[in-house]
Amino acid sequence: MMRLKHTVLWVAALAFIVAACSTVPITGRKQLSLIPQAEMLSMSFQQYGDFLKTNKVTTDAQQVQLVRGVGVRIQKAVESYFAQKGLSDGLKDYKWEFNVVDSKEVNAWCMPGGKVVVYTGILPVTKTEAGLAVVMGHEIAHAVAEHGSERMSQELIANMGGMLLSKALEEKPEATKNLWLGVYGVGAQFGALLPFSRTHESEADHLGLVFMAMAGYDPHEAVDFWTRMSQSSGGQAPPEFMSTHPADATRIADIQKEMPEAMQYYKAR
Ligand SMILES: [Zn+2]
């Protein structure tokens, strides 16, 4: 009897989890999706605002223009891809924003809802507009593929158990906030995303490659960028971006495998 009850519970939990899955565009991978997008976006918008208030946003017109220019082109590519696939609903509450922060950190990130920061420290490595498109395409891909939400969902399952999820979210907003901090970093690290899994990294490379190609940047530049990135770490402590984004042979080989697909989307400007 106990055993049967257990089985019933498990079946119910599994049914719940299956119902709470969504599909990643382009790769078609199924992912766990338990956090309502509205919650993700409201946390993101608030934290992005706080981040900008407590960090030095650059006023260098040339850098701002460069980052916004590339960002908007990637944004348009994402929007057109989502529109073609009938997925525009997923982007309708986005409030895209592209800011440059004056810092030696070699880093960039995009929070849910299209909230992007590029650190001036990464610009010498991205070098060209297309190089920057590699980084921004990749970071924006993490956001539109809802990798943060998926990680929070996995944490929620691990920590609170399947059956209480909707209740937990409803009754414990602070628990949801803690999940967010567990994924998006805390304290001094705040704003610096904690490392994504290998699956999320290669998926963001794949989507980013397609988005940059659609935006009119030659996707082959991705191979050049990752090669530069791996060389720039030689001898010194690895920069932030390298520690969360290892530019190893597997990464570059995977990108090369996806090149023919990305080239189908590429129209040189
Ligand atoms: Zn990444």
Side-chain angles (χ1 to χ4, degrees):
M1 194 59 199
M2 273 309 283
R3 210 168 173 162
L4 181 66
K5 205 170 154 193
H6 221 90
T7 310
V8 169
L9 273 178
W10 265 111
V11 169
L14 276 176
F16 177 81
I17 289 167
V18 169
C21 274
S22 56
T23 305
V24 178
I26 300 178
T27 64
R29 185 176 63 84
K30 293 264 184 252
Q31 64 182 171
L32 194 58
S33 175
L34 300 170
I35 322 278
Q37 195 198 42
E39 295 220 29
M40 289 300 288
L41 297 193
S42 87
M43 283 184 281
S44 173
F45 295 164
Q46 200 204 322
Q47 307 239 330
Y48 189 75
D50 291 348
F51 180 85
L52 294 182
K53 266 182 240 149
T54 50
N55 285 271
K56 196 171 166 240
V57 180
T58 188
T59 47
D60 180 313
Q62 217 180 340
Q63 288 175 334
V64 171
Q65 210 186 354
L66 171 72
V67 168
R68 295 224 165 120
V70 173
V72 168
R73 279 173 60 181
I74 304 270
Q75 173 196 340
K76 301 279 177 231
V78 170
E79 286 171 344
S80 108
Y81 185 89
F82 274 58
Q84 282 166 31
K85 302 290 171 187
L87 298 169
S88 296
D89 249 17
L91 299 177
K92 75 175 179 349
D93 295 323
Y94 268 52
K95 294 197 171 88
W96 294 93
E97 212 177 319
F98 309 96
N99 283 291
V100 190
V101 164
D102 211 349
S103 160
K104 282 196 193 109
E105 262 191 64
V106 180
N107 212 354
W109 43 259
C110 176
M111 280 191 183
K115 298 295 193 188
V116 177
V117 161
V118 172
Y119 296 78
T120 50
I122 203 169
L123 297 177
V125 191
T126 57
K127 242 174 158 175
T128 62
E129 222 185 300
L132 184 58
V134 177
V135 170
M136 294 182 80
H138 174 97
E139 294 306 325
I140 287 169
H142 276 308
V144 300
E146 303 196 329
H147 287 163
S149 175
E150 183 180 356
R151 280 165 72 183
M152 284 173 66
S153 301
Q154 288 161 345
E155 289 293 307
L156 201 55
I157 291 270
N159 296 330
M160 298 187 199
M163 296 307 286
L164 295 168
L165 289 173
S166 51
K167 243 185 149 162
L169 280 176
E170 239 170 66
E171 290 170 8
K172 293 186 186 163
E174 78 280 10
T176 317
K177 183 125 194 245
N178 287 338
L179 280 174
W180 167 276
L181 293 175
V183 169
Y184 284 101
V186 278
Q189 272 185 304
F190 167 63
L193 269 65
L194 301 177
F196 279 111
S197 68
R198 191 89 211 193
T199 305
H200 283 174
E201 279 309 311
S202 57
E203 192 164 80
D205 282 343
H206 187 174
L207 269 64
L209 210 59
V210 169
F211 296 149
M212 77 177 283
M214 287 181 78
Y217 299 107
D218 185 349
H220 289 94
E221 298 274 347
V223 175
D224 299 344
F225 166 76
W226 287 110
T227 307
R228 275 202 300 282
M229 189 47 102
S230 73
Q231 284 160 356
S232 80
S233 69
Q236 305 155 0
E240 300 73 12
F241 197 73
M242 265 296 275
S243 65
T244 52
H245 294 81
D248 51 27
T250 313
R251 172 164 231 141
I252 294 173
D254 285 349
I255 290 173
Q256 263 154 344
K257 259 184 251 155
E258 289 150 3
M259 201 56 74
E261 182 194 352
M263 285 304 283
Q264 290 175 2
Y265 291 93
Y266 176 53
K267 282 192 203 90
R269 280 190 302 163

